[in-house]
Amino acid sequence: MMDDEEEVDIDLEDPDDVKVIETEFKKLYETDADFRNSFGEEAFDLDIMQKYSIIDAYNQGGMPAVLNLLS
């Protein structure tokens, strides 16, 4: 696991990094009903940077942090 303080270096040109983000986003969607109900299937239409930002916010503060990010 990563420390909250650790900066993550994501390369959106690297297919492996993109796959990790897609996998984490799908896992979040499948395991959190609030997340799923808030976004619906349209969540998968977001671009990779948006998904990364949502995952990052969620990991720091759950759904309230995601909703704050979006408002």
Side-chain angles (χ1 to χ4, degrees), residues 27-42:
K27 189 185 316 178
L28 178 59
Y29 183 87
E30 291 172 349
T31 59
D32 188 311
D34 287 340
F35 184 88
R36 191 169 47 255
N37 292 335
S38 294
F39 288 99
E41 290 287 326
E42 295 80 27

Side-chain angles (χ1 to χ4, degrees), residues 1 3 6 9 16 19 21-22 29 31-35 37 39 44 47 49 51 54 59 63-64 66-68:
M1 290 301 277
D3 295 334
E6 188 176 327
D9 189 24
D16 291 335
K19 185 175 182 183
I21 293 168
E22 293 285 0
Y29 183 87
T31 59
D32 188 311
D34 287 340
F35 184 88
N37 292 335
F39 288 99
F44 294 102
D47 71 38
M49 195 64 219
K51 290 177 181 176
I54 289 170
N59 287 339
M63 272 308 289
V66 172
L67 296 175
N68 189 44

Side-chain angles (χ1 to χ4, degrees), residues 2-32:
M2 297 181 318
D3 295 334
D4 288 336
E5 303 296 316
E6 188 176 327
E7 191 64 30
V8 179
D9 189 24
I10 293 291
D11 180 0
L12 298 177
E13 301 299 315
D14 182 340
D16 291 335
D17 284 0
V18 170
K19 185 175 182 183
V20 168
I21 293 168
E22 293 285 0
T23 301
E24 287 300 309
F25 193 82
K26 186 172 190 255
K27 189 185 316 178
L28 178 59
Y29 183 87
E30 291 172 349
T31 59
D32 188 311

